[in-house]
Amino acid sequence: MDFPSTQFVPSRMMGTYQPIHQIGMWGENFKSIGNPSISASVIVEVDNKLENESETASHEMPAPSCKHDQEASKPFDKIQRRLAQNREAARKSRLRKKAYVQQLESSRLKLMQLEKELEQAREQQGLYIGGGLEAGHLGFSGAVSPGIAVFEMEYKHWMQEQNRQLGELRTALNAQISDIELRIVVENGMSHYFELFRMKSTVAKADVFYVMSGTWKTPAERFFSWIGGFRPSELLKVLVAQLDPLTDQQIFEVCNLKQSCQQAEDALSQGMEKLQETVSATLAAGQLGQGTYFPQVAMAMEKLEALVCFVNQADHLRQETLQQMSHILTTRQAARGLLALGEYIQRLQDLSTLWATHPREPA
């Protein structure tokens, strides 16, 4: 996924600091002190007043001291808060660093797992060299195409997710959950098949013969394969038998869909036959036996590029058939259809396993 880049434009803030001057003004309250014209009684009165003020001041002295202590304690509290903030910031920084290290370790383990699976896929492909028919996509050197190795690794994960989704579908149908919740499960199942079609389109660009041969599938699946996958009209036969009862309108729409699928399949099959004839005629052009045939092979290569379009069109027809069926059926019927399709594929795989392990009669 690409994320939009963010540009950070540095900004500069300039502040102006101006000194603050505090000006105190004091009045001259006792200008007349020392004046010889002042009487003794006035002097006595002033002395008594000064004495009373002195006593009052002596009682009030702690107040300024407390106020001074409070003022002095403010910087200390500020420092404590700053230290607490620094400790909290350091703690969060350690947590972020720990999470980052854990993420790196997790990514490293995933990379090791992918490398291991890729190596296993290469070893598995190496076994195909002696298999005759399956060795076609390896070339004469037996080297595995990187696109094929990646696809087979992805397909392995796809099958694991497919099995998980089948279990989820089975549980959802037995639990009688709401149609809204069941619709989410159905849409996830549909998207999972669409992801397979996307994967096949990518690997077809790397080696279209590999997709056509269906090497990644089991022998029983390949037996029913049509242009690299299942035939949509045959799929409808399997599903409809598991979806009874259907309404008359649903039966009518399914019949129309089946007829449309057969027409499209016939058109693609005829196109494939025409392509085979064209490639064969191109390779046979000129006189055989002279040993110079590279121009014919180059021309045949250009014509074979159309084979990728046939694979993509066949998968598009399969995808459209699944979508149309989901529109015709109710949510619960669509869930039952996806479950039936998944179990049908599992039965084909089990058939291949049984065929491979059953005892053979000696020749």
Side-chain angles (χ1 to χ4, degrees):
M1 174 179 271
D2 297 333
F3 296 91
S5 59
T6 306
Q7 297 182 352
F8 297 90
V9 181
S11 62
R12 184 177 182 182
M13 299 178 63
M14 300 184 63
T16 304
Y17 300 91
Q18 297 180 355
I20 301 175
H21 300 281
Q22 296 181 349
I23 302 176
M25 300 179 65
W26 294 269
E28 299 179 356
N29 297 325
F30 300 99
K31 290 182 179 181
S32 58
I33 297 178
N35 192 335
S37 62
I38 299 176
S39 63
S41 61
V42 174
I43 294 175
V44 172
E45 182 180 354
V46 171
D47 289 340
N48 293 334
K49 183 177 181 181
L50 291 174
E51 184 178 356
N52 294 333
E53 290 178 354
S54 177
E55 293 177 355
T56 304
S58 65
H59 291 294
E60 296 177 353
M61 282 298 291
S65 177
C66 293
K67 183 177 181 181
H68 177 71
D69 292 342
Q70 293 175 357
E71 293 293 333
S73 66
K74 288 183 178 180
F76 180 76
D77 293 340
K78 185 176 182 180
I79 292 174
Q80 291 297 323
R81 288 194 301 270
R82 181 62 60 85
L83 291 175
Q85 292 174 355
N86 291 341
R87 287 194 295 269
E88 180 64 17
R91 186 184 69 84
K92 292 181 178 180
S93 178
R94 288 193 299 270
L95 291 176
R96 287 194 296 268
K97 182 178 179 181
K98 182 178 180 181
Y100 178 70
V101 172
Q102 291 176 346
Q103 183 180 6
L104 288 178
E105 180 65 16
S106 178
S107 300
R108 185 182 69 85
L109 293 176
K110 289 181 180 179
L111 180 60
M112 291 175 60
Q113 180 65 22
L114 289 175
E115 291 177 349
K116 182 179 178 180
E117 292 178 354
L118 182 59
E119 184 64 25
Q120 291 176 349
R122 288 173 177 171
E123 293 176 357
Q124 183 181 5
Q125 292 294 341
L127 297 176
Y128 292 158
I129 297 178
L133 295 177
E134 288 86 353
H137 69 277
L138 297 174
F140 294 105
S141 63
V144 180
S145 168
I148 293 175
V150 170
F151 171 80
E152 292 195 346
M153 184 174 59
E154 290 180 341
Y155 183 72
K156 177 182 177 181
H157 294 160
W158 187 91
M159 283 302 304
Q160 293 173 350
E161 176 63 17
Q162 172 77 350
N163 294 333
R164 188 197 67 80
Q165 288 191 5
L166 290 179
E168 185 180 7
L169 271 170
R170 194 175 293 109
T171 302
L173 287 171
N174 293 333
Q176 297 295 322
I177 63 177
S178 66
D179 285 350
I180 296 178
E181 294 174 308
L182 190 58
R183 171 55 61 180
I184 296 175
V185 179
V186 170
E187 290 179 353
N188 290 337
M190 297 282 290
S191 299
H192 189 57
Y193 281 102
F194 299 163
E195 175 64 15
L196 175 61
F197 300 148
R198 183 201 63 79
M199 291 161 47
K200 289 173 59 181
S201 176
T202 300
V203 73
K205 298 176 182 177
D207 193 336
V208 68
F209 284 118
Y210 170 79
V211 179
M212 290 292 299
S213 64
T215 305
W216 74 93
K217 293 178 174 291
T218 60
E221 290 178 283
R222 292 199 298 269
F223 178 71
F224 292 98
S225 181
W226 172 78
I227 313 184
F230 56 82
R231 188 182 288 268
S233 60
E234 293 297 327
L235 173 65
L236 291 177
K237 292 180 182 179
V238 173
L239 295 184
V240 171
Q242 304 296 323
L243 298 177
D244 286 337
L246 296 175
T247 65
D248 293 340
Q249 180 64 28
Q250 287 177 324
I251 295 175
F252 175 76
E253 292 179 357
V254 170
C255 290
N256 286 340
L257 178 60
K258 183 179 178 181
Q259 184 178 1
S260 299
C261 287
Q262 289 175 338
Q263 292 175 353
E265 290 167 7
D266 291 342
L268 287 175
S269 297
Q270 292 173 7
M272 286 285 297
E273 292 176 0
K274 183 65 176 178
L275 178 62
Q276 290 174 344
E277 294 175 1
T278 302
V279 172
S280 177
T282 302
L283 290 174
Q287 187 167 353
L288 299 176
Q290 294 181 348
T292 56
Y293 50 81
F294 289 105
Q296 290 83 359
V297 173
M299 294 177 61
M301 281 286 295
E302 294 179 359
K303 297 182 184 300
L304 278 177
E305 292 179 357
L307 194 57
V308 178
C309 295
F310 280 102
V311 172
N312 291 335
Q313 289 176 9
D315 277 343
H316 179 71
L317 178 59
R318 286 183 270 265
Q319 179 172 333
E320 286 293 320
T321 302
L322 289 175
Q323 287 180 329
Q324 290 298 323
M325 282 295 292
S326 68
H327 295 156
I328 295 173
L329 303 176
T330 65
T331 300
R332 195 158 298 274
Q333 287 173 335
R336 287 165 50 196
L338 284 176
L339 181 60
L341 175 59
E343 289 185 347
Y344 178 70
I345 295 175
Q346 286 182 338
R347 293 181 183 185
L348 286 175
Q349 295 171 349
D350 292 340
L351 175 61
S352 297
T353 302
L354 184 61
W355 175 262
T357 56
H358 88 285
R360 305 292 202 282
E361 294 182 2

